[in-house]
């Protein structure tokens, strides 16, 4: 089984990258039949801008650009998709949102027919979301931020495409043992990704 781990943070020395690395080690700790690929969107220079070419793709008036095709192929090869990211303004960083905007295209992730019927095309894909935030859980809870993020991301994006969100984890500096506890949690999440499928 193969996991695609998508990381959206510009600093390779960040806690986000350390979390992704521990998660990857958890995946392979399950056994030699498991593998991972880390897609470091910042280091790879992925362009998150949704351009006229992306509009044409959405309208099914053009084929996807090579960078979008390459990202879709990465996901097609994966048995699980893992997104590791910091919370910026109570959501994804712009880089990751732009990756989803461009890659999860009409005709590939879903098919919005002229008759108004929606075909969810990513039903085979389990998704694991691992976010790190800067506030404490009381703040997220008091203002409804975590619930809003789940509605927007878990349901609004992945539910729309039919992908099942198997993990939706928010790691915070108020967590006991921070930051080492985040790395331990990431390793445990990695070990669970293919636990049922093994």
């Amino acid at each position: 089984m193969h996991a695609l781990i998508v990381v959206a943070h510009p600093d390779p020395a960040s806690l986000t990258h350390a979390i992704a690395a521990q998660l990857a080690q958890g995946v392979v700790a399950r056994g030699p039949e498991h593998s991972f690929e880390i897609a470091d969107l910042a280091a790879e220079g992925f362009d998150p801008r949704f351009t006229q070419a992306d509009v044409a793709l959405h309208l099914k008036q053009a084929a996807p650009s090579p960078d979008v095709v390459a990202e879709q192929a990465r996901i097609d090869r994966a048995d699980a998709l893992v997104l590791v990211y910091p919370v910026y303004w109570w959501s994804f960083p712009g880089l990751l949102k732009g990756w989803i905007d461009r890659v999860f295209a009409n005709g590939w992730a879903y098919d919005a027919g002229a008759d108004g019927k929606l075909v969810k095309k990513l039903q085979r894909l389990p998704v694991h979301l691992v976010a790190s935030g800067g506030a404490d859980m009381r703040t997220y809870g008091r203002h409804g931020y975590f619930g809003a993020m789940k509605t927007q991301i878990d349901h609004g994006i992945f539910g729309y495409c039919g992908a099942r969100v198997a993990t939706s984890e928010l790691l915070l500096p108020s967590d006991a043992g921070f930051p080492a506890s985040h790395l331990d949690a990431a390793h445990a999440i990695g070990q669970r990704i293919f636990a049922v499928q093994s």
Side-chain angles (χ1 to χ4, degrees):
M1 305 294 275
H2 181 68
L4 175 63
I5 303 170
V6 180
V7 184
H9 197 292
D11 182 359
S14 67
L15 179 59
T16 300
H17 279 272
I19 289 169
Q22 279 301 308
L23 199 146
Q25 291 309 307
V27 168
V28 296
R30 292 286 305 171
E33 69 277 15
H34 300 303
S35 62
F36 67 87
E37 176 185 1
I38 293 183
D40 183 344
L41 299 181
E44 295 172 5
F46 181 81
D47 185 353
R49 294 173 300 165
F50 196 84
T51 67
Q52 186 60 43
D54 298 297
V55 172
L57 172 60
H58 173 73
L59 297 174
K60 298 184 178 179
Q61 297 170 347
S65 60
D67 62 338
V68 168
V69 170
E71 296 303 312
Q72 290 172 345
R74 276 176 150 173
I75 298 169
D76 286 340
R77 288 191 301 269
D79 299 296
L81 174 64
V82 185
L83 305 183
V84 182
Y85 57 94
V87 175
Y88 290 172
W89 295 108
W90 314 112
S91 188
F92 288 141
L95 177 59
L96 184 55
K97 179 62 168 60
W99 182 79
I100 288 173
D101 288 346
R102 296 190 62 219
V103 174
F104 283 61
N106 186 15
W108 179 80
Y110 63 93
D111 203 342
D115 59 0
K117 291 190 177 175
L118 176 69
V119 177
K120 300 178 178 199
K121 300 184 83 171
L122 295 182
Q123 293 180 344
R124 67 154 195 95
L125 186 69
V127 176
H128 303 267
L129 306 170
V130 183
S132 59
D136 61 25
M137 190 52 86
R138 279 187 65 202
T139 301
Y140 278 86
R142 184 172 62 244
H143 297 290
Y145 294 139
F146 193 42
M149 288 169 57
K150 283 178 158 289
T151 298
Q152 175 197 353
I153 298 168
D154 300 28
H155 175 71
I157 296 170
F158 297 109
Y160 191 79
C161 301
R164 181 179 60 87
V165 175
T167 303
S168 189
E169 197 73 34
L170 178 60
L171 306 175
L172 301 171
S174 58
D175 296 341
F178 168 82
S181 62
H182 287 20
L183 304 180
D184 293 342
H187 194 272
I189 291 166
Q191 287 186 305
R192 289 194 306 265
I193 287 174
F194 297 126
V196 175
Q197 293 98 322
S198 297

